[in-house]
Amino acid sequence: MTGMSKMRASAMAVPALVAMLVTGCSSDDGGEDPINVPTPSAEETGNGDASAARDEAVLEALFLSYYDALVQLENGEAEDGSVFEGIAVETVIDEQVGRALSFREVGLISRGEPEITQVQATVDEDRGRIEACVNADNWQVYTEEGEVVPMDVPESDATLLLAERGAEGWIISEHPSSAEGVAVTC
């Protein structure tokens, strides 16, 4: 394969990889979540730019998977943190489960889902930073009586997640309460 053919093949493979990661696999074989497939380092692939683009695409898909799990938990569709398995570390899972359970204990539950835009990831070796705008206008908190609980949140909020690459692949390692220093503008 010529150098140009390799570049074209790599360029075509990245969108396919992203599509596969976002849509997932619908088999019942109990296999691993594709997000956690180990990603080769730039040294292993010999192509740092393609490797970085692949990592960024995986991290962007991981952000969306994290929010899918968070919505399931907060909307009462999941009873525990198992929806975060392979997506986030135990401390992050415990934080989110604790928050959701404290809402449920006082009769509050979320409905709907946020609109997520401008997802951007950066990679520094085995550490990742994922930023996005999360608009919660269509993801409201309700009382048991079905009344909306007014929340003091901006229309669209910049959100930051940190990730680490381990032996199993990328995983969310932190969901900071502040998105201080994010580059994305919402």
Side-chain angles (χ1 to χ4, degrees):
M1 198 179 275
T2 67
M4 187 60 85
S5 296
K6 286 181 183 176
M7 286 176 40
R8 284 189 186 124
S10 293
M12 291 172 40
V14 171
L17 175 65
V18 172
M20 179 184 76
L21 292 171
V22 172
T23 58
C25 182
S26 61
S27 80
D28 291 327
D29 66 358
E32 287 188 15
D33 185 0
I35 290 172
N36 292 320
V37 172
T39 306
S41 69
E43 295 80 31
E44 293 170 331
T45 63
N47 188 344
D49 290 342
S51 181
R54 235 183 345 268
D55 285 341
E56 290 166 3
V58 169
L59 288 172
E60 290 169 7
L62 183 61
F63 186 99
L64 297 173
S65 293
Y66 175 84
Y67 262 88
D68 284 344
L70 187 60
V71 166
Q72 289 177 43
L73 181 67
E74 289 195 10
N75 287 4
E77 298 163 12
E79 295 299 316
D80 58 29
S82 63
V83 293
F84 289 100
E85 192 173 315
I87 296 172
V89 297
E90 207 60 41
T91 55
V92 172
I93 295 170
D94 291 345
E95 283 176 20
Q96 296 304 339
V97 169
R99 197 167 135 268
L101 291 179
S102 67
F103 269 52
R104 289 182 199 168
E105 287 172 1
V106 294
L108 300 177
I109 195 159
S110 297
R111 291 190 197 139
E113 62 184 59
E115 177 185 6
I116 299 172
T117 59
Q118 299 184 52
V119 181
Q120 300 173 7
T122 55
V123 175
D124 183 10
E125 295 183 14
D126 290 337
R127 298 191 183 282
R129 179 180 175 95
I130 318 152
E131 304 174 3
C133 293
V134 178
N135 182 334
D137 283 349
N138 295 320
W139 192 29
Q140 302 288 322
V141 177
Y142 290 84
T143 65
E144 290 175 333
E145 293 78 30
E147 296 177 25
V148 175
V149 176
M151 303 295 273
D152 187 26
V153 294
E155 182 177 309
S156 190
D157 196 18
T159 300
L160 170 66
L161 296 179
L162 303 177
E164 294 179 358
R165 181 186 2 230
E168 299 296 317
W170 288 101
I171 193 162
I172 300 298
S173 58
E174 189 178 345
H175 185 166
S177 57
S178 168
E180 190 173 315
V182 298
V184 69
T185 303
C186 302

